């Protein structure tokens, strides 16, 4: 497999194996609504050649926002803006993924009450969240389900469940944040229960690609490691999850030892040992590294974060580095535009057909 080969996941084919990783931009209109910024920002990355665009995480409940300016998907009122956003991404040739999440104890409003599996703050001087009642847990499951339904209505091609980075579902999965002694804590099975029920609910209605983003290691004594995700990942696969997007950290206040490709080994391990597709993310900044990950079967997708903030045309830059030629947006070939300067000469037929139009 090659970086610029298409990939089919269920009923969806991406034009290449490059995805934009979800990144909160804190630019939503009050109430979590899509703004002009999102249309331009995500539209530009779709135009720039990525196969799949993940806008930032969409909050499934108002008390699940990571911070002010997050996008929401907790009400039908969000549908029109999200539909427009998906439409723009599609028109620029990419597919769109909805990452749905809940901040849990990381709720970004210090003066508000936060929910979590246990009354344990992220760090000791943080606000203490309250331990969720069973009714609250069931309510959250329904909120994820309703959010997934809305994502489908808005036209998203992929739904990704955010169970990483120390947010609510990660808090349930990790023994460092989940000290419950009821059916929702303790064993792997119990800590996974909320994720299992959410996936089952989503899968009842959603037949498209379903991804789960995980924190494959907590980097802390007593926390999850990739061994735990061999257990959780097997269950995810059995439940119809198509791809595990392998990130790490966020539950414990520790410095993550990051370097180019630092999270790739987890993606490779789950892919190899569970036979499930995986996504690799984290300091994948060069075409060489991305091509190595895909070409050597270390993961099925690469998700590009900050490098794609710096360069909306990251896929083209990666192709240049790899001395490959990729299709520019049609508009950029007209009048022999700048895109062609560093590309091998296009096919004569293409030149003729574009010249003939004007
Ligand atoms: C500004 C910013 C916002 C982010 N927001 C999210 C988010 O909403 N959801 C998520 O799963 N990860 C989020 N991340 C993490 C990125 O998706 C990505 O995993 C991380 O930046 C590592 O990839 P990179 O080295 O290519 O940037 C965010 C990262 C940044 C820099």
């Amino acid at each position: 497999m090659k970086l610029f080969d298409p990939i089919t996941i269920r009923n969806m084919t991406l034009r290449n194996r490059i995805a934009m990783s979800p990144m909160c931009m804190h630019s939503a209109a009050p109430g979590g609504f899509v703004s002009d910024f999102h249309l331009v920002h995500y539209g530009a990355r779709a135009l720039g050649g990525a196969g799949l665009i993940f806008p930032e995480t969409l909050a499934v409940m108002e008390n699940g926002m990571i911070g002010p300016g997050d996008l929401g998907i907790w009400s039908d009122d969000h549908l029109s803006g999200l539909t427009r956003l998906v439409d723009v991404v599609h028109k620029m040739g990419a597919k769109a993924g909805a990452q749905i999440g809940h901040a849990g104890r990381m709720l970004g409003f210090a003066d508000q009450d936060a929910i979590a599996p246990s009354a344990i703050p992220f760090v000791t001087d943080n606000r203490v969240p309250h331990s969720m009642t069973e009714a609250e847990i069931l309510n959250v499951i329904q909120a994820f389900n309703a959010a997934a339904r809305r994502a489908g209505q808005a036209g998203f091609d992929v739904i990704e469940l955010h169970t990483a980075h120390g947010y609510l579902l990660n808090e349930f999965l990790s023994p460092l944040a989940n000290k419950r002694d009821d059916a929702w804590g303790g064993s792997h099975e119990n800590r996974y229960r909320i994720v299992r029920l959410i996936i089952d609910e989503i899968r009842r209605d959603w037949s498209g690609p379903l991804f789960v983003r995980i924190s494959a290691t907590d980097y802390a004594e007593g926390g999850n490691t990739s061994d735990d995700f061999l257990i959780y990942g097997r269950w995810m696969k059995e439940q119809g999850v198509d791809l595990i997007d392998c990130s790490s950290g966020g539950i414990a206040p520790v410095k993550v030892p990051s370097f180019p490709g630092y999270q790739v080994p987890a993606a490779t391990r789950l892919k190899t040992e569970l036979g499930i597709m995986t996504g690799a993310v984290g300091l994948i900044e060069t075409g060489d590294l991305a091509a190595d990950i895909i070409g050597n079967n270390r993961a099925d997708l690469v998700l590009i974060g900050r490098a794609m903030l710096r360069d909306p045309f990251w896929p083209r830059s990666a192709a240049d580095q790899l001395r490959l030629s990729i299709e520019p947006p049609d508009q950029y070939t007209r009048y022999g535009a700048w895109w062609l300067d560093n590309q091998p000469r296009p096919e004569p037929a293409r030149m003729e057909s574009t010249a003939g139009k004007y």
Side-chain angles (χ1 to χ4, degrees):
M1 289 309 151
K2 298 206 177 76
L3 184 60
F4 290 98
D5 284 348
I7 179 171
T8 297
I9 306 174
R10 283 190 190 248
N11 54 354
M12 173 191 74
T13 300
L14 304 178
R15 60 184 163 185
N16 57 44
R17 282 129 196 276
I18 300 168
M20 180 183 191
S21 201
M23 284 174 286
C24 291
M25 292 285 107
H26 313 293
S27 297
F33 295 101
V34 168
S35 70
D36 290 351
F37 171 84
H38 300 103
L39 303 180
V40 174
H41 174 67
Y42 295 116
R45 272 77 192 166
L47 187 70
L52 175 62
I53 300 289
F54 274 111
E56 60 216 68
T57 196
L58 307 172
V60 302
M61 293 172 77
E62 199 165 1
N63 74 351
M65 292 169 84
I66 298 165
D70 280 357
L71 285 177
I73 192 166
W74 65 80
S75 111
D76 287 348
D77 296 341
H78 293 112
L79 276 175
S80 67
L82 291 170
T83 305
R84 174 99 177 94
L85 177 58
V86 171
D87 194 38
V88 167
V89 168
H90 283 166
K91 284 194 172 120
M92 302 301 135
K95 303 291 185 195
Q99 186 191 58
I100 53 174
H102 189 295
R105 69 181 181 182
M106 309 297 273
L107 171 68
F109 303 90
D111 55 333
Q112 290 178 22
D113 186 28
I115 56 173
S118 303
I120 304 171
F122 175 59
V123 283
T124 43
D125 52 353
N126 267 19
R127 157 203 53 204
V128 179
H130 82 256
S131 171
M132 293 165 76
T133 63
E134 175 126 331
E136 284 175 317
I137 294 175
L138 297 176
N139 196 25
V140 162
I141 294 169
Q142 284 319 312
F144 271 99
N145 187 29
R149 178 179 46 75
R150 288 186 196 105
Q153 283 173 334
F156 281 100
D157 306 280
V158 176
I159 293 175
E160 175 168 279
L161 196 58
H162 195 353
T163 75
H165 301 168
Y167 301 119
L168 186 64
L169 299 182
N170 193 178
E171 290 157 21
F172 272 91
L173 292 177
S174 174
L176 296 177
N178 184 346
K179 304 287 185 195
R180 297 180 75 98
D181 56 9
D182 59 5
W184 308 92
S187 63
H188 282 103
E189 202 175 326
N190 284 356
R191 283 183 308 193
Y192 184 73
R193 190 176 306 281
I194 186 168
V195 174
R196 177 184 294 286
L197 292 174
I198 291 169
I199 293 173
D200 279 347
E201 286 280 332
I202 293 176
R203 264 285 167 243
R204 232 193 298 281
D205 298 326
W206 174 251
S207 56
L210 179 60
F211 295 7
V212 178
R213 175 164 273 201
I214 63 165
S215 276
T217 169
D218 288 340
Y219 300 107
E221 190 70 33
N224 282 325
T225 68
S226 62
D227 290 344
D228 298 281
F229 282 93
L230 288 181
I231 299 171
Y232 296 139
R234 182 163 292 115
W235 290 334
M236 289 174 193
K237 183 181 174 189
E238 285 166 6
Q239 289 185 272
V241 168
D242 298 292
L243 183 144
I244 302 179
D245 171 6
C246 298
S247 189
S248 66
I251 271 287
V254 293
K255 185 157 168 39
V256 172
S258 57
F259 50 86
Y262 64 106
Q263 294 168 149
V264 177
T268 309
R269 184 169 190 212
L270 297 190
K271 177 176 167 59
T272 313
E273 298 195 29
L274 299 179
I276 188 166
M277 286 193 215
T278 57
V281 65
L283 288 179
I284 301 169
E285 307 213 316
T286 63
D288 286 336
L289 179 55
D292 164 65
I293 292 166
I294 301 297
N296 289 312
N297 236 352
R298 300 169 70 197
D300 298 278
L301 275 188
V302 287
L303 292 101
I304 313 297
R306 289 159 293 180
M308 210 177 274
L309 293 183
R310 293 193 290 272
D311 179 5
F313 284 90
W314 189 90
R316 176 210 150 86
S317 303
D320 280 352
Q321 206 191 7
L322 294 163
R323 300 184 184 287
L324 298 170
S325 147
I326 60 168
E327 280 291 302
D330 268 355
Q331 292 88 339
Y332 293 7
T333 63
R334 292 172 198 165
Y335 305 109
W338 63 268
W339 186 287
L340 298 178
D341 289 347
N342 297 315
Q343 299 276 328
R345 284 193 70 74
E347 297 293 322
R350 184 175 183 86
M351 290 294 277
E352 279 158 25
S353 67
T354 8
K357 279 190 200 158
Y358 294 94

